[in-house]
Amino acid sequence: MWTGGETLATPTRSQLQRAFGCPVRNSYGASEFLPIAWECPYRRLHLNSDWVILEPIDRHGRPVAPGTRSHSVLLTNLANRIQPLIRYDLGDSITMIDTPCGCGSRFRVMSVEGRTDEALVFPLAAGGTATVVPLALATVMEDEACVHDFQVTQTAPRNLQIRLGDDEHGSARKVRRALGSYFDALGIGAVSIDIARRAPMRDEVSGKLRRVICQLPQH
């Protein structure tokens, strides 16, 4: 069984192996290049460097050394001759590892921490907190509210600012309803949702859109 899209946690791997009675292999890919890395029998990801170049960078766009977790990574797709991608900013945090793998492969080992979008933490109505990861929030926006050009910013523990693209403003009511139902299901309760008139802000250099942003102090 092949998995992708999110980090494969050990409990999830074990549950899948028990349920389907087969080996489970992890992988790392993106829409811009699907087979970036694959997992060997030692459960380590190997970079497919025959076909892709990955350059880990810090938040200022400077290269980071092996063993250092990157802020993002630049991808160059060597197989796409129709629409070349050269040093495309994926927004993923990775770590390149120089230590050889016991499987014998000469392809470099790497680990993937995932997107640098921030998880949002909300107080629960019954006490405690709930963490909402960017992928979950984006799924609610896309599947339930049917919007695809958006940016969600947490400005206070119970306040979200939503920026919608020019073609999405008619969906504001759907956005409020979908997010309200989602937060109720999580036990978060009422969250103030401010639909801003401004469009989502994209990075001035790469043009990429950070869909989920936390403006609260990080501890």
Side-chain angles (χ1 to χ4, degrees):
M1 177 179 289
W2 169 87
T3 68
E6 283 293 309
T7 300
L8 178 61
T10 299
T12 303
R13 182 197 296 270
S14 300
Q15 185 175 0
L16 289 172
Q17 289 179 161
R18 288 194 303 269
F20 294 96
C22 67
V24 177
R25 289 287 181 264
N26 197 8
S27 66
Y28 170 52
S31 300
E32 294 78 15
F33 188 79
L34 292 177
I36 294 177
W38 69 94
E39 187 181 81
C40 73
Y42 282 65
R43 296 187 179 180
R44 305 185 82 186
L45 288 172
H46 290 267
L47 176 64
N48 186 11
S49 51
D50 276 351
W51 290 102
V52 68
I53 297 173
L54 282 190
E55 302 174 68
I57 57 173
D58 63 18
R59 64 177 60 252
H60 302 292
R62 298 172 300 201
V64 300
T68 303
R69 178 174 174 172
S70 74
H71 175 73
S72 187
V73 63
L74 305 180
L75 176 144
T76 298
N77 184 342
L78 301 177
N80 190 344
R81 300 185 180 184
I82 303 300
Q83 184 181 2
L85 292 173
I86 300 174
R87 309 194 81 200
Y88 180 78
D89 190 337
L90 277 182
D92 286 348
S93 176
I94 71 167
T95 303
M96 299 304 301
I97 302 169
D98 274 349
T99 307
C101 182
C103 74
S105 172
R106 294 184 178 272
F107 289 102
R108 293 186 67 184
V109 176
M110 60 180 292
S111 63
V112 181
E113 285 75 33
R115 291 295 169 95
T116 53
D117 284 351
E118 297 109 339
L120 306 184
V121 179
F122 296 90
L124 290 170
T129 60
T131 300
V132 178
V133 298
L135 181 62
L137 206 57
T139 299
V140 173
M141 294 288 285
E142 293 176 351
D143 293 355
E144 303 300 327
C146 301
V147 297
H148 298 273
D149 186 12
F150 63 86
Q151 190 171 54
V152 179
T153 302
Q154 186 179 26
T155 57
R158 286 190 173 275
N159 184 275
L160 293 180
Q161 181 192 81
I162 312 292
R163 292 190 177 200
L164 299 175
D166 293 339
D167 296 332
E168 309 276 21
H169 281 287
S171 300
R173 184 175 297 179
K174 286 185 178 180
V175 169
R176 294 181 187 278
R177 186 185 306 120
L179 290 177
S181 297
Y182 179 66
F183 292 140
D184 283 343
L186 292 180
I188 294 172
V191 172
S192 176
I193 298 174
D194 173 30
I195 307 295
R197 293 183 178 274
R198 292 167 291 178
M201 293 189 303
R202 287 173 164 78
D203 185 270
E204 294 180 358
V205 177
S206 68
K208 291 203 67 158
L209 173 66
R210 288 178 61 202
R211 286 186 161 188
V212 180
I213 301 171
C214 179
Q215 290 185 344
L216 303 185
Q218 301 295 308
H219 301 290

